[in-house]
């Protein structure tokens, strides 16, 4: 298929759905004890609700929403640290738009900007580097966040800053790694998962091979998926085919984009610039070893945590917010008492309601509409 509407063809979707129903009847699962499939990526969660896929699947298949939204998994303390950096004198703080409205302990970056901090939204780290070149008398900090999807662009920007010798540019790195997070979920006895819809964007960079441990060590199948409705339905079908035939493999539904070995140029840039942190805190998942990137020693002169005094706040989430359990797939957004009442997209209490990839935002935007129709 070449065109996007082909991936949304209702007749083809119905044909795949019939196959899913056929295979679901062969599973020893009921609506009371459903098969639990986690879609890791927040982009999948939004597609699932945008196209109503969850409502058309058989009752004995449950989709569980994972920690694949990079803004959502960032702990509140790191956001408070970012605000502290942004409020330093002679600093221009740059960030992606999704991070602007996430509530910190006392304020968001957007509120810090209203209070006078020079905080600017950018579309790429190269924009931040350009600001640094245009403002040589000021320090420009880029708030680097995201999985392996965005880490290569940060790495390539640092390499460019090194080549162009831009001394007033630095990165506050909050880049995180998907594989350690998946291992932490699989080691969580509270959450019993049967398979994974693997993240398409991250896999575009790292390939499919890093997920093999899920099959070897935990005996769970993985299908890396695209983001269109037919992509996701086909991925569910592929997972069911594996389960019915007692296979446990990593399969690639998103072959038009994802290669088994990933993107060597992107991987090379990450390996040059970053090294894994000994440990990194995730919202809802706690400390996970080797799960975050920091700048390698050779590039530490671009590391905001080396150049500046970062407070390293340890801040608790809002007491009423259930983002932590939602990110682990233990609760659905609608299980949270403040969902859609005290917590809405216009007044978010937690990151899951703010980010465009957050599960709560997806439920609020699409689930309510489908329920009302």
């Amino acid at each position: 298929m070449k065109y996007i509407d082909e991936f949304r063809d209702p007749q083809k979707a119905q044909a795949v759905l019939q196959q899913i129903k056929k295979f679901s009847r062969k599973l020893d699962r009921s609506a009371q004890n459903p098969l639990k499939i986690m879609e890791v990526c927040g982009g999948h969660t939004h597609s699932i609700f945008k196209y109503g896929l969850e409502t058309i699947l058989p009752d004995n298949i449950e989709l569980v929403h994972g920690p694949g939204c990079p803004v959502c998994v960032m702990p509140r303390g790191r956001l408070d640290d970012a605000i502290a950096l942004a409020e330093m004198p002679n600093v221009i703080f740059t960030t992606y738009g999704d991070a602007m409205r996430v509530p910190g302990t006392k304020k968001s970056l957007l509120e810090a900007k209203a209070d006078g901090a020079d905080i600017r939204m950018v579309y790429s780290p190269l924009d931040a580097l350009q600001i640094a070149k245009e403002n040589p008398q000021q320090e420009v900090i880029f708030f680097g966040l995201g999985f392996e999807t965005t880490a290569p662009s940060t790495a390539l920007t640092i390499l460019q800053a090194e080549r162009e010798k831009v001394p007033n540019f630095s990165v506050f790195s909050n880049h995180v790694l998907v594989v350690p997070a998946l291992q932490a979920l699989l080691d969580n006895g509270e959450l019993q998962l049967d398979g994974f819809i693997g993240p398409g964007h991250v896999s575009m960079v790292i390939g499919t091979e890093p997920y093999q441990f899920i099959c070897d060590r935990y005996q769970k199948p993985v299908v890396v998926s695209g983001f269109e409705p037919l992509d996701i339905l086909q991925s569910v079908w592929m997972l069911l085919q594996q389960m019915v035939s007692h296979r446990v493999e990593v399969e690639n539904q998103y072959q038009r984009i994802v290669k088994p070995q990933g993107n060597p140029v992107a991987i090379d840039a990450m390996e040059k610039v970053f090294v894994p942190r000994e440990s990194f805190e995730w919202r809802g998942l706690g400390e996970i070893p080797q799960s975050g990137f920091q700048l390698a020693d050779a590039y530490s002169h671009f590391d905001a945590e080396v150049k500046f005094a970062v407070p390293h706040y340890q801040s608790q989430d809002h007491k009423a917010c259930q983002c932590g359990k939602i990110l682990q797939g233990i609760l659905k957004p609608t299980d949270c008492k403040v969902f859609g009442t005290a917590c809405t997209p216009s007044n978010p209490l937690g990151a899951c309601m703010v980010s465009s990839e957050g599960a709560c935002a997806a439920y609020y935007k699409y689930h309510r509409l489908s329920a009302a129709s």
Side-chain angles (χ1 to χ4, degrees):
M1 294 189 284
K2 296 181 180 178
Y3 305 105
I4 198 165
D5 56 344
E6 295 176 291
F7 291 93
R8 302 174 183 178
D9 185 320
Q11 290 186 334
K12 290 176 181 172
Q14 275 297 328
V16 178
L17 182 61
Q18 292 309 311
Q19 290 298 316
I20 290 173
K21 290 179 177 177
K22 173 184 170 184
F23 277 88
S24 72
R25 289 192 287 270
K26 298 180 181 180
L27 298 170
D28 184 22
R29 294 302 180 96
S30 64
Q32 291 71 39
N33 180 31
L35 189 80
K36 291 189 175 182
I37 297 173
M38 173 173 276
E39 86 272 5
V40 177
C41 182
H44 286 144
T45 304
H46 271 254
S47 290
I48 286 165
F49 280 96
K50 181 176 181 180
Y51 297 104
L53 303 184
E54 192 169 62
T55 61
I56 62 174
L57 290 175
D59 291 340
N60 62 347
I61 297 176
E62 179 183 354
L63 296 178
V64 179
H65 319 305
C69 166
V71 173
C72 301
V73 299
M74 185 173 55
R76 209 178 200 185
R78 296 292 288 186
L79 186 67
D80 288 339
D81 287 340
I83 293 169
L85 286 171
E87 290 183 329
M88 290 192 308
N90 201 40
V91 161
I92 300 173
F93 193 84
T94 58
T95 181
Y96 296 126
D98 264 11
M100 293 288 283
R101 293 177 56 246
V102 181
T105 301
K106 295 180 180 176
K107 63 178 78 171
S108 66
L109 283 166
L110 192 61
E111 290 167 326
K113 180 180 175 66
D115 288 343
D118 192 346
I119 300 173
R120 305 183 190 182
M121 190 182 78
V122 293
Y123 292 100
S124 88
L126 284 173
D127 293 342
L129 181 61
Q130 183 62 32
I131 292 171
K133 289 188 285 188
E134 292 170 353
N135 297 272
Q137 304 305 315
Q138 291 179 276
E139 290 288 342
V140 176
I141 302 173
F142 174 65
F143 192 10
L145 50 90
F147 287 89
E148 294 93 331
T149 316
T150 55
S153 62
T154 302
L156 289 165
T157 301
I158 289 172
L159 292 173
Q160 183 166 333
E162 178 79 350
R163 284 195 303 274
E164 297 180 352
K165 301 186 186 310
V166 186
N168 62 322
F169 174 73
S170 61
V171 172
F172 179 45
S173 176
N174 288 267
H175 287 294
V176 290
L177 306 172
V178 74
V179 168
L182 291 176
Q183 184 166 344
L185 284 170
L186 286 161
D187 288 335
N188 183 348
E190 193 176 357
L191 183 61
Q192 297 296 319
L193 297 171
D194 298 293
F196 289 91
I197 295 176
H201 292 146
V202 166
S203 305
M204 178 178 64
V205 174
I206 69 172
T208 58
E209 293 168 359
Y211 307 119
Q212 188 59 45
F213 81 98
I214 299 174
C215 305
D216 297 341
R217 197 180 310 168
Y218 299 94
Q219 296 298 300
K220 312 289 184 188
V222 180
V223 174
V224 173
S225 177
F227 295 86
E228 293 299 329
L230 269 174
D231 288 325
I232 297 171
L233 287 174
Q234 185 181 10
S235 297
V236 172
W237 179 26
M238 291 168 70
L239 283 167
L240 296 185
Q241 286 177 299
Q242 285 201 47
M243 293 172 189
V244 169
S245 59
H246 304 290
R247 290 184 291 117
V248 181
E249 300 172 7
V250 179
E251 292 186 308
N252 184 8
Q253 183 278 334
Y254 205 22
Q255 293 182 23
R256 65 185 185 276
I257 299 293
V258 174
K259 308 302 178 190
Q261 72 278 14
N263 183 328
V265 174
I267 292 172
D268 181 62
M270 287 193 297
E271 290 180 345
K272 277 183 181 172
V273 171
F274 293 118
V275 293
R277 295 175 187 268
E278 183 177 341
S279 181
F280 193 76
E281 183 187 356
W282 292 55
R283 187 187 294 246
L285 302 179
E287 292 283 341
I288 302 178
Q290 306 279 305
S291 66
F293 272 148
Q294 67 183 42
L295 271 67
D297 287 345
Y299 299 96
S300 61
H301 47 294
F302 294 113
D303 189 340
E305 293 182 81
V306 173
K307 291 180 73 172
F308 308 104
V310 177
H312 297 295
Y313 287 116
Q314 298 293 317
S315 310
Q316 299 298 314
D317 288 338
H318 191 288
K319 289 182 179 178
C321 177
Q322 295 289 309
C323 273
K325 287 190 178 296
I326 291 165
L327 288 166
Q328 295 176 70
I330 295 170
L331 294 181
K332 300 278 188 178
T334 46
D335 295 327
C336 178
K337 291 180 179 177
V338 293
F339 173 82
T341 54
C343 183
T344 64
S346 59
N347 182 38
L349 297 184
C352 298
M353 186 62 91
V354 178
S355 172
S356 61
E357 292 190 357
C360 293
Y363 264 69
Y364 191 91
K365 185 172 183 179
Y366 300 116
H367 189 69
R368 284 188 153 199
L369 292 178
S370 63
S373 62

